[in-house]
Amino acid sequence: MDTIAVMDFGGQYSHLIGRRIRNLGVYAEVVSPRRTKDSLEKIDDLKGIVLSGGAASVYSDDSPKPDREIFDLEVPILGICYGHQLLAYMTGGDVESGDSGEYGTTLLKLSDRKTRLLRGLDEDEEVWMNHKDRVAAMPEEYLTVASTESSPIAAFVDSSRQRYGIQFHPEVTHTSKGGKVLENFVISICKASRDWNPTDLAPGLVDQARDYIGNRRAIIGLSGGVDSTTAARIVGKAIGRDLTAIYVDTGLMRQGETESIRSTFEDSALELEILDRKEEFLEKLKGVEDPEEKRKVIGNTFIDVFTEKANSIGAEVLVQGTIYSDIIESGSTTHSDTIKSHHNVGGLPEKVDLDIYEPLKDLYKDEVRRIADSLGLPGEIINRHVFPGPGLAIRIVGEVTPERVEIVRAASYIVEDELKSAELYEDVWMGFAVLLPVKSVGIQGDLRSYKYPVVLRIVESEDAMTANFARVPYEVLERMSTRITNEIDRVNRVVYDISNKPPATMEWE
Ligand code: XMP
C-alpha cells in the first residue's frame, strides 16, 4: 500500500494533514520526528514525506529536528510552515524572525503558476497562515514560487530533487484550495495510488494484534462504544478466548448501558465479565472538584480494577480502544499541549504493570466506524454517540454526588431520546446534558422552587477536533426542556450551549 509519512513536529494541525491525505484515498502515517532515514526506508511503498508545522523556532537549539539524512531519501518531501522553514534551514538556507507575524487569512501571490505543487491556484490566492519566523535565504537550486507581504519566500521548489516548501497551511479548510495543493503533492508529485480504504486495515490489524500479544492472555475494558467494541472484535479474532472483556459498571454510565452491553455480547464468542464497582468509584470521587483530578482518579481506579482482574486470570496485556484524537488531546504526541487527559491515555498512572496495546491508535472515529461496519458490528453500536471514559463524572461540573449523577443520567437520556424521535440522532456527533453546581429560582405549581439548571449540549463534528453547536429546531429543544423539568424533580431550568469548539470543548470538563 502506497504510504505518505507525515512527520509530526507538534503543530496543532499536524494530524489533519494525515487525515486529508487519507481522504484522498492514500494511506498516510503520522510518524515521530525521531524516525531515522533507515527506519523510514522500512515503511513499505513510502512515496513521500510531509514535514508538519510546529510551534518552535528552527534556529533554537532545542527545537525538534529530524535526522539530517532523511533529506537524502529519494522520495519527494513537502515542508509545511515549520516544516517549510526546517527544510530550508537544514538544507543550506536561512530562517529569521519576521517583523510581524502572519496569523489568519493572508494573500499569497504566485510568481510561477506552472509549478506542479501549486497547479490550480490563482495568481492571487487566499491562504491561512500562522507564523512569525520566515525563510530568509535558500540554496541556489531552490526557486521561489510564491510570496506574501511579510514572507518573500512563502513557497519554494527544488524540482530536480523534489523538495517543496510552503509557509501556509493547506490542511485547514480556511485555505480553500489547500486540498488541491495536497492532492498535487500526493498524487501528481509522489505518484501515490489511491488504493487505501480503512476497511482494508482490518486483516492487518488482526495480524498485528496476534504478533504483538503472542501467546499471552489479554483483557480489554468494554464501554459499549464503537472504539472498545471494535478493538475487542479485532483482538478477539486474533487470540480468541485468550481475550477476556471486562465491563466495569462505574455508576457513571448512561442509562441502560449495563443491560445493553449484556445483550449485545450475550451471543458472541467473547468472554465478558461485568464488574459492579459503583460504590468504589463514587467513594473515590468524593470531594474531588477539579476536572483533571477527576480524570486521574477515575483512570487510576480503572487501572486498579483491571490489574486486579488481570492478575487473577494471568493476563499480561491490557487492550485499549484509544483512537488518534484521544492521543492528540491528551498531549501525548511529541510536542502537543495537554487539552484534557483522556482517561484511557493521559489519565493513566505513570506506571502500569500491564502491557498496554492500542490497536486503533492511529485511526479517526469515522475510520473506526467504517472498520466496525466491515467487521459486521451492529449499526446501533457503530452509530452510537461517543461516551467519554470518565463517563457522567465530567458532565457534572464540580463534585460528583449520587444525586447529581442520577439527574444528569436522566436528563441525558431525555436528550438522546428526543433526538432519536426527531430523527436527528445520527446527524449529530453527540447530544447530552450537563449539570451545573448552582441553583436558581423558578416557579412550579404556584410555588417558588430553588433547583439545579441543566445545560443541553448538542454538537456536530467530523472528527472531534473541531465542532459546532447543532442548530436543533426550537420545538425539539422545547420538548427536551419540558420533559427534563417535568420528569426530573430537582431541575427547574434548561439552557442550550451555543459554543463551538474551539474555543469551548464538547464536554464541559
Ligand atoms: P472534548 O470535550 O475534548 O471531546 O471536545 C471530544 C470528544 O472526546 C470525548 N472525550 C473523551 N473520551 N475519555 C474518552 O474516552 C475522555 O477522557 C474524554 N474526554 C472527552 C468527548 O466525549 C467527545 O466525543
Side-chain angles (χ1 to χ4, degrees), residues 295 329 340 342-343 386 388-390 429-430 501 505-507:
R295 284 188 146 74
E329 298 212 333
K340 297 180 181 182
H342 282 207
H343 94 75
V386 179
W429 177 269
M430 292 200 303
K501 170 184 180 177
T505 54
M506 297 187 197
E507 306 284 352

Side-chain angles (χ1 to χ4, degrees), residues 289 291 294-295 340 393-398 505 507-509:
E289 293 189 357
K294 274 188 199 171
R295 284 188 146 74
K340 297 180 181 182
I394 57 166
R395 294 180 177 173
I396 294 165
V397 175
T505 54
E507 306 284 352
W508 272 51
E509 292 201 331

Side-chain angles (χ1 to χ4, degrees), residues 24-36:
L24 292 169
V26 175
Y27 184 61
E29 191 174 321
V30 179
V31 302
S32 152
R34 287 192 287 265
R35 290 282 291 260
T36 59

Side-chain angles (χ1 to χ4, degrees), residues 220-240:
I220 180 166
L222 275 188
S223 68
V226 66
D227 303 342
S228 59
T229 312
T230 306
R233 185 59 67 96
I234 285 168
V235 177
K237 273 178 181 279
I239 62 167

Side-chain angles (χ1 to χ4, degrees), residues 205-227:
L205 292 173
V206 173
D207 291 344
Q208 277 170 23
R210 195 178 293 117
D211 286 351
Y212 184 88
I213 300 172
N215 46 26
R216 296 178 290 173
R217 294 202 62 157
I219 59 169
I220 180 166
L222 275 188
S223 68
V226 66
D227 303 342

Side-chain angles (χ1 to χ4, degrees), residues 21 39 41 88 108 157 206 212 254 274 326 377 434 454:
I21 296 174
S39 100
E41 270 172 337
L108 181 79
V157 169
V206 173
Y212 184 88
R254 285 179 275 204
I274 296 181
D326 302 334
L377 291 177
V434 176
V454 152

